[in-house]
């Protein structure tokens, strides 16, 4: 890893940390880095978070860190949610737009050629039972390796009327 890339990555991580540090609605946020900056189809990051308040509604976001060298404008993810009683619903397929399909402009916040996108994936979600929930993400593209994808993550926040 060259120094320029390491510096950009450190700055990007710092910006994301600052932006998410003061959010009182957030109950969980974690990202999984791909050491080779490529998401292999065999890698299935899992994220476990605790739900205590079953009367509240929650928003679940997917975080994606990607380089401008990523070869597609979108990313298909399959998300499987398991709770205290087993699977919660069926696995869901999500399409995240990383680049504007018409202009090719990257979406999200960027530093140099690295971008961070946070996409609302499961809005206004209700969890029926208190306990630990595990969300597993799978890349669902037609390619075993997705170079240019550096990290993926999950953020869970209490739903706030009118947005994040």
């Amino acid at each position: 890893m060259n120094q320029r890339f390491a510096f950009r990555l450190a700055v990007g991580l710092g910006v994301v940390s600052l932006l998410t540090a003061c959010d009182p609605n957030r109950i969980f946020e974690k990202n999984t880095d791909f050491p080779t900056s490529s998401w292999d189809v065999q890698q299935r990051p899992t994220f476990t978070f605790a739900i205590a308040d079953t009367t509240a509604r929650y928003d679940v976001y997917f975080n994606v860190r990607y380089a401008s060298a990523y070869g597609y404008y979108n990313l298909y993810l399959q998300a499987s949610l398991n709770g205290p009683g087993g699977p919660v619903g069926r696995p869901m397929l999500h399409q995240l737009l990383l680049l504007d399909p018409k202009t090719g402009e990257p979406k999200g916040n960027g530093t140099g050629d690295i971008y961070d996108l946070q996409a609302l994936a499961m809005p206004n979600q209700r969890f029926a039972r208190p306990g630990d929930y595990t969300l597993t993400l799978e890349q669902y593209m037609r390619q075993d390796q997705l170079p240019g994808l550096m990290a993926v993550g999950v953020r869970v926040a209490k739903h706030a009327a009118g947005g994040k």
Side-chain angles (χ1 to χ4, degrees), residues 51-145:
I51 296 294
D53 183 357
T54 58
T55 63
R57 293 192 180 263
Y58 299 87
D59 292 325
V60 179
Y61 298 84
F62 295 156
N63 299 331
V64 179
R65 170 166 286 137
Y66 65 100
S68 59
Y70 178 66
Y72 301 97
Y73 73 91
N74 63 352
L75 172 64
Y76 284 103
L77 297 177
Q78 181 168 282
S80 303
L81 182 64
N82 285 290
V88 178
R90 295 188 308 197
M92 296 172 287
L93 185 63
H94 298 268
Q95 177 184 214
L96 305 181
L97 295 178
L98 303 183
L99 303 169
D100 184 284
K102 293 181 181 175
T103 66
E105 287 295 315
K107 294 185 175 265
N109 299 315
T111 303
D113 62 348
I114 298 172
Y115 299 91
D116 291 300
L117 176 73
Q118 189 169 80
L120 181 58
M122 299 163 61
N124 212 14
Q125 181 76 31
R126 176 167 271 153
F127 295 98
R129 300 172 76 176
D132 288 343
Y133 286 79
T134 301
L135 188 60
T136 302
L137 300 180
E138 299 176 56
Q139 65 102 327
Y140 222 69
M141 301 292 281
R142 294 180 180 169
Q143 184 172 324
D144 288 349
Q145 296 285 328

